[in-house]
Amino acid sequence: MEGPHQIKRDPARLSETNRVEAFSDGVLAIVITLLVIEVRPPETEHGQLLAGLLAQWPSYLAYLTSFIYVGVIWLNHHVLFNRIARVDRGLTLANLVLLLTTAFLPFPTAVLADSIQEGDPANMSVAIALYALVAGLMCVSWFLIFVYLSRHPRLLAGVEASFFRAELIRPLMGMLGYAVAGAIGLFAPVVVPLTVFLMLPAFYYLTAHGIRHAGPVRAS
């Protein structure tokens, strides 16, 4: 039974985007920090430090690949919220799914680096498939956000809902690209799927302002 001073809250009410953006920025900053934690000093014998550092090149490459990916996610997230005036519960949940998948990225990054350093082909195939799976799920989370925004135009600022319907091609291409990279990792040299892992963030960087406005990203 409600008291006389109890305030009823509308579960569908709209809110400002500030808290969602600030929370997302904080999560992405932590993810990038966790990536570098996986780059550890090598355990070497006396006089072998340089060789040990050079032998860890897979860790540096995996870190660079994931750092670029998270950086591009942050950039796309920033551009996305320039087009959003308000958030509701559904969009907040969709954004949390994006953060959920992104926050998991340091794990497959570390697994991939370790497997390449060990040089076991079977383990590398599994590590590549794991990385592709997590990155593909991140694309799925973007797909859910774009679908939600295309169906809720009241949340948008200065853009039509049709814009996000057209944008669905971007996460779909990511899902396909990471699926292909994971499959290629079963039989091709590791450099091939790693190249795909680097190319897809480049695609998302170039199309951050929309698939119809592909080109260098401008400051917003």
Side-chain angles (χ1 to χ4, degrees):
M1 186 172 179
E2 296 180 357
H5 302 293
Q6 187 170 352
I7 299 175
K8 293 183 178 180
R9 294 186 179 274
D10 179 5
R13 69 191 180 100
L14 304 182
S15 304
E16 299 289 338
T17 64
N18 304 49
R19 292 190 65 190
V20 173
E21 292 183 78
F23 179 74
S24 301
D25 286 347
V27 171
L28 295 177
I30 292 172
V31 172
I32 283 183
T33 303
L34 292 176
L35 288 174
V36 76
I37 289 176
E38 295 299 331
V39 182
R40 304 185 183 93
E43 298 180 2
T44 61
E45 301 294 333
H46 178 70
Q48 298 299 311
L49 179 58
L50 178 59
L53 288 171
L54 294 176
Q56 288 195 156
W57 67 266
S59 294
Y60 311 144
L61 180 59
Y63 167 73
L64 178 63
T65 301
S66 292
F67 182 95
I68 292 173
Y69 196 8
V70 176
V72 170
I73 289 171
W74 176 84
L75 175 65
N76 277 265
H77 193 273
H78 173 67
V79 174
L80 172 70
F81 272 83
N82 283 340
R83 298 190 172 101
I84 298 174
R86 297 287 187 274
V87 296
D88 61 4
R89 182 176 298 177
L91 181 57
T92 301
L93 290 175
N95 187 71
L96 285 174
V97 173
L98 172 62
L99 297 179
L100 169 70
T101 55
T102 306
F104 196 67
L105 190 61
F107 174 66
T109 300
V111 172
L112 181 59
D114 289 346
S115 67
I116 295 175
Q117 198 158 353
E118 292 169 359
D120 185 294
N123 286 346
M124 282 191 287
S125 296
V126 173
I128 289 169
L130 175 63
Y131 191 98
L133 174 62
V134 174
L137 290 175
M138 291 164 67
C139 295
V140 172
S141 65
W142 280 106
F143 183 85
L144 295 176
I145 289 174
F146 289 165
V147 168
Y148 193 84
L149 290 173
S150 70
R151 295 178 178 178
H152 296 81
R154 66 175 183 158
L155 303 177
L156 304 180
V159 64
E160 299 294 330
S162 58
F163 173 86
F164 288 102
R165 284 193 288 272
E167 287 296 281
L168 290 174
I169 187 64
R170 297 174 65 217
L172 286 173
M173 290 180 67
M175 293 179 217
L176 177 61
Y178 285 114
V180 169
I184 290 175
L186 297 175
F187 58 85
V190 68
V191 67
V192 180
L194 285 179
T195 300
V196 178
F197 291 160
L198 286 169
M199 288 175 61
L200 285 169
F203 164 73
Y204 288 124
Y205 171 80
L206 293 173
T207 59
H209 285 279
I211 194 70
R212 295 174 180 173
H213 302 89
V217 176
R218 301 174 300 277
S220 299

